[in-house]
Amino acid sequence: MTQALLKPITLHDLELNNRVIMAPMTRSRANNEGNVPTELMATYYRQRAGAGLIISEGSQISKQAVGYVNTPGIYSKEQVEGWKQITEAVHEEGGKIFLQLWHVGRMSHPDFHDGELPVAPSAINPNDKSFTPQGFKDTVAPRALTIPEIKQIVQDFKNAAQNAIEAGFDGVEIHASNGYLLHQFFASTSNTRTDVYGGSIENRARILFEVIDAIKEVVATEKVGVRLNPSLNGIFGMTLNEDTIPTFDYIVENLNKYDLAYLHLSEPFNDVSDLPHAEPHIAKRYRPMYNGNLIINAGFTQEKGNKVIEAGDADMVAFGVPFIANPDLPERFEQDAELQQPDKDTFYTPGAKGYIDYPSLAEVEA
Ligand SMILES: Cc1cc2nc3c(=O)[nH]c(=O)nc-3n(C[C@H](O)[C@H](O)[C@H](O)COP(=O)(O)O)c2cc1C
C-alpha cells in the first residue's frame, strides 16, 4: 500500500508527485555583492527536486527586508535572472518550487542598513541576536513604520511576487511566521500601534490581507501560500499572550475567503504544553477551521508524517532539517531507508561543504 506521504495531490492546477514538502530553509549561499542566487544553489535545489513541492529559503523582498548575511533577494533584475537557473533545474527534474517572500522587520541590525535602524510595527527590541557580516550581534530597538512606509512594504511584496513568477517559480509563499515582520504585526507584544494597524485583532492582522490583496493583482491566489507559526514562544523575540490564539483563529478563518494554494502551519517549535496561552496541537485546532490544503511542519518523521495525513489532520507535511542531509528524502521514505544526519556547523556557511555533498541513496549504493 502506498504511504500517505507518497500519494500525489493537486493544489488547484498544480500536480504534486507526493506530499513530502521541502520546508523553507535559509542556507546563506548568496554570498555575493547583490545577493544574487548562484549556480551552487541551483545544484542544491536540483538535488532536492523529488520533493512534492520545494519551498525556497526566505528571500528578501527589498533591501530593507534583509536581516541575515548572504541571503538571496527577489527585488533586483540580477536576482530574478539568478533564480531562473534554480527554477529551470527543479523543473528539468520534474519538481515544483515556490519562492518564500520574506521581510524580517526588527530581526535585523543597523549594520545591514548603513547604520539606520531596522523597521517594525513598534519600537520594541526583540532582544535577540542578528547574524551580521561581522557575526552575531545584539538586536536593537527598531523604528516604528509610518503608514506610507507600510503601504510601500505591501507594494514590495507585490513586486517581489511578480518577480518570482517572472523567475519561473510555480508560486509564492508569504512568510507570515517565525517572528518576522508580518508576525510582529500580529502580536500585541511587538505591536502597540494605535492606528489601523494596531489594537484590535482585525487591525493587527490587516497587513497580511493587504499583502494578499496586492499580490492577487499580479499572481492568482491559487499560486499563493501563507505560512504561520501560532504557538511560537521564546524564539525570534516572540512571546505568547492572551491575544495570540484568538488572533490566529481570526487569520485562519479569514484566509478561507481566498482560494490559496495552501496554508502552511508549524507545530510549536518547543514544548508549550504548560503555558497558559499556547495551543499545543496546531494541526488538530486549525484543520477543522481551514477549508483549503493544509501543510503541517516541525519535528515530523516519516512515521509521524504518514500518521498526521491518515488521521486527516493535514494534507501534506513539510520537512526541514531531514532534507538538508537527505536530498532524496521521498525516495528514502519509499525504501524505508535510514536517514543521514546533517552537520549543523555548515547550515549557514558559504560553499559546497554541507550543502551539495550529501549523497543520494543511489549514490551511496553505487
Ligand atoms: C537551517 C534552517 C534554516 C531555516 N530557514 C527558514 C526560512 O528561511 N524560512 C522559514 O519559514 N523557516 C525556516 N526554517 C524553519 C524550517 O522551515 C522548519 O520550520 C523547521 O526546521 C522545523 O521543521 P523540521 O523539524 O522538519 O526541521 C529554517 C530551519 C533551519 C534548520
Side-chain angles (χ1 to χ4, degrees):
M1 207 183 71
T2 312
Q3 298 173 47
L5 279 169
L6 300 179
K7 291 190 179 144
I9 183 170
T10 303
L11 313 181
H12 302 284
D13 291 341
L14 195 68
E15 290 173 18
L16 309 188
N17 293 328
N18 60 61
R19 293 149 188 255
V20 182
I21 310 302
M22 180 170 159
M25 280 184 293
T26 291
R27 302 301 310 277
S28 301
R29 259 67 176 191
N31 51 319
N32 55 65
E33 185 67 19
N35 295 140
V36 177
T38 63
E39 203 182 324
L40 187 71
M41 289 167 61
T43 302
Y44 166 78
Y45 283 109
R46 180 192 291 277
Q47 290 173 338
R48 285 155 184 79
L53 174 69
I54 294 173
I55 305 164
S56 83
E57 60 206 283
S59 183
Q60 57 267 16
I61 58 164
S62 65
K63 248 177 118 78
Q64 183 199 63
V66 73
Y68 295 81
V69 70
N70 299 334
T71 56
I74 183 68
Y75 54 89
S76 76
K77 266 231 127 3
E78 294 73 23
Q79 290 161 351
V80 172
E81 288 306 310
W83 279 117
K84 280 184 186 166
Q85 47 188 332
I86 286 139
T87 58
E88 277 162 18
V90 171
H91 290 151
E92 265 170 32
E93 303 300 322
K96 303 283 190 294
I97 182 165
F98 272 37
L99 176 110
Q100 192 185 46
L101 300 170
W102 195 22
H103 192 310
V104 304
R106 65 182 186 169
M107 291 301 296
S108 188
H109 192 275
D111 285 4
F112 289 108
H113 310 285
D114 302 321
E116 302 285 316
L117 292 175
V119 297
S122 301
I124 302 169
N125 189 336
N127 293 317
D128 209 296
K129 299 275 178 206
S130 175
F131 188 19
T132 77
Q134 284 82 40
F136 283 102
K137 290 195 179 177
D138 287 338
T139 54
V140 300
R143 176 174 70 72
L145 287 158
T146 64
I147 287 185
E149 285 176 319
I150 294 173
K151 302 281 181 210
Q152 181 57 51
I153 288 171
V154 171
Q155 287 307 305
D156 292 342
F157 269 99
K158 174 181 166 180
N159 294 340
Q162 195 164 23
N163 285 345
I165 298 303
E166 194 190 322
F169 284 94
D170 297 292
V172 293
E173 176 175 287
I174 299 168
H175 195 351
S177 182
N178 298 353
Y180 297 115
L181 184 73
L182 301 183
H183 199 168
Q184 291 158 26
F185 271 90
F186 304 157
S188 58
T189 51
S190 45
N191 178 357
T192 55
R193 299 179 74 93
T194 53
D195 59 13
V196 293
Y197 292 99
S200 67
I201 287 178
E202 194 186 347
N203 282 354
R204 280 183 279 109
R206 183 178 308 281
I207 187 170
L208 172 63
F209 295 99
E210 290 187 352
V211 166
I212 302 173
D213 285 332
I215 290 178
K216 181 169 97 169
E217 292 170 19
V218 288
V219 182
T221 52
E222 296 92 75
K223 293 173 188 265
V224 178
V226 171
R227 186 174 216 204
L228 302 172
N229 191 344
S231 284
L232 187 71
N233 185 65
I235 310 176
F236 303 123
M238 281 292 125
T239 311
L240 297 166
N241 68 8
E242 64 283 2
D243 294 327
T244 307
I245 294 303
T247 303
F248 283 99
D249 289 356
Y250 168 88
I251 291 171
V252 171
E253 275 164 4
N254 281 279
L255 286 176
N256 281 323
K257 295 179 185 161
Y258 300 85
D259 215 4
L260 296 176
Y262 60 79
L263 171 62
H264 182 180
L265 297 174
S266 292
E267 295 290 348
F269 278 3
N270 46 23
D271 185 8
V272 295
S273 46
D274 289 339
L275 298 180
H277 305 299
E279 169 54 70
H281 306 292
I282 295 296
K284 281 221 176 301
R285 183 184 189 91
Y286 289 109
R287 170 71 289 181
M289 253 184 243
Y290 186 64
N291 300 332
N293 300 308
L294 188 66
I295 304 178
I296 193 69
N297 163 251
F300 280 86
T301 57
Q302 177 185 1
E303 192 189 348
K304 274 181 65 188
N306 279 317
K307 278 197 179 137
V308 75
I309 296 173
E310 280 160 15
D313 290 332
D315 302 298
M316 296 160 275
V317 180
F319 295 87
V321 173
F323 257 112
I324 291 180
N326 301 278
D328 54 345
L329 192 63
E331 177 64 20
R332 282 173 191 261
F333 287 170
E334 170 106 54
Q335 313 259 342
D336 291 314
E338 220 175 287
L339 299 189
Q340 299 171 135
Q341 294 312 309
D343 168 20
K344 288 202 168 99
D345 294 344
T346 50
F347 275 10
Y348 307 105
T349 48
K353 190 165 180 288
Y355 190 54
I356 58 160
D357 53 359
Y358 293 105
S360 67
L361 211 51
E363 285 164 338
V364 172
E365 281 162 3

